[in-house]
Amino acid sequence: PSFPVMARGRHDLGPETSWSLSATLKVDQDWLKSEVSVYGSYIDDYIYLAPELRDDGTVRTDVLIQGRFPRFNYNAINAIYYGFDAEVQTRMGPIELGVDGSIVRARDVDEDSFLLFIPPDRIGTEITYHLPEFKSVKDSFISVNLSVIARQYSVAPESDFAPVPDGYALIGASAGTTFEWNNQRYLFSVETQNVLNTRYRDYTSLLRYFADEPGRQVFVRLGTEFGFHPESTAEQPGADGV
């Protein structure tokens, strides 16, 4: 299987029942757009996937023809989720700045313990410079972004068979433009992720047990818009025109 663990299902699991409450504050101005949300959810019979550990903290395994896989089980627990998300965007002339962040916590109510695989605290920022238009070249931009992901401290180390990976910071950059040629509009962009080729592991990924996340990646994209009709500059006939 492509799944990196052996997840044993249970036919006796019932549906989840959730009670949720959230509040959002939103600001929408010409120069500033922001949104802050807080939320909480209580979930009865939450279907929780976790590794099956022995008394000494090692994980039980299953041997298949593809190899040996860590054993994970699904269980129904009572869980509570809570946290907040925030996003702010502002533009000053050709410069656009955005900042976003999130915090989420999740606990097993009966065991009074944090759940596994919950996203750690994160904050990100992106600054974009919009270039002036030039003839048929429009919507050109250059952008740089930074994401900082903290180590996940809100989890019990003994509930997992591998240590929690360290926090990390990733830098990315992109540039793009739109141009018209031969009565057709094209979109071209170049994006680089993990510019510094940082070595890291994503806590929310099951692949973290075996391998690092991808290093530096470069994407080149070229697209077009079907049905595009350029604006005509020809003089339109008047009311009495032929």
Side-chain angles (χ1 to χ4, degrees):
S2 59
F3 208 47
V5 301
M6 171 58 72
R8 294 193 169 195
R10 288 179 52 184
H11 65 85
D12 59 334
L13 293 177
E16 300 174 339
T17 303
S18 175
W19 290 268
S20 300
L21 182 66
S22 63
T24 300
L25 175 63
K26 187 175 182 180
V27 177
D28 192 350
Q29 302 291 333
D30 293 338
W31 63 279
L32 177 67
K33 299 181 185 298
S34 65
E35 184 172 305
V36 178
S37 300
V38 294
Y39 59 88
S41 296
Y42 183 90
I43 308 173
D44 272 335
D45 297 327
Y46 172 67
I47 299 175
Y48 179 46
L49 180 65
E52 183 178 326
L53 303 180
R54 301 183 181 93
D55 293 338
D56 60 358
T58 59
V59 65
R60 299 186 185 277
T61 59
D62 290 291
V63 180
L64 307 178
I65 59 173
Q66 294 92 345
R68 184 183 296 273
F69 292 83
R71 181 188 300 177
F72 278 56
N73 285 329
Y74 289 98
N75 292 291
I77 65 173
N78 296 321
I80 183 171
Y81 276 76
Y82 54 95
F84 86 92
D85 299 305
E87 181 179 6
V88 179
Q89 291 183 333
T90 184
R91 182 163 180 171
M92 296 168 287
I95 300 176
E96 183 176 355
L97 176 65
V99 180
D100 65 272
S102 64
I103 294 177
V104 60
R105 299 289 184 268
R107 300 184 67 91
D108 182 332
V109 175
D110 299 324
E111 297 294 332
D112 191 26
S113 60
F114 286 107
L115 302 184
L116 295 173
F117 307 115
I118 303 303
D121 302 344
R122 65 170 303 276
I123 186 170
T125 183
E126 183 173 29
I127 184 168
T128 302
Y129 179 74
H130 297 272
L131 281 71
E133 297 183 358
F134 177 74
K135 295 184 178 180
S136 61
V137 179
K138 303 177 180 179
D139 301 327
S140 302
F141 70 91
I142 300 174
S143 180
V144 178
N145 62 77
L146 170 67
S147 297
V148 179
I149 293 84
R151 189 178 187 274
Q152 179 56 280
Y153 292 98
S154 299
V155 64
E158 63 273 11
S159 62
D160 204 350
F161 63 93
V164 175
D166 294 330
Y168 54 92
L170 300 177
I171 297 176
S174 61
T177 189
T178 300
F179 61 93
E180 297 175 13
W181 181 69
N182 197 21
N183 293 329
Q184 188 68 34
R185 181 155 64 186
Y186 297 92
L187 298 86
F188 176 78
S189 66
V190 178
E191 179 184 4
T192 303
Q193 298 179 358
N194 193 2
V195 172
L196 300 181
N197 202 29
T198 301
R199 183 175 179 178
Y200 72 101
R201 298 196 179 194
D202 183 357
Y203 175 72
T204 62
S205 172
L206 290 173
L207 292 174
R208 67 177 171 86
Y209 293 115
F210 311 102
D212 296 335
E213 292 294 314
R216 184 186 302 111
Q217 299 183 87
V218 179
F219 301 91
V220 179
R221 302 181 178 92
L222 177 64
T224 187
E225 297 182 18
F226 294 102
F228 171 72
H229 299 286
E231 296 179 359
S232 175
T233 57
E235 183 180 352
Q236 299 297 325
D240 58 347
V242 179

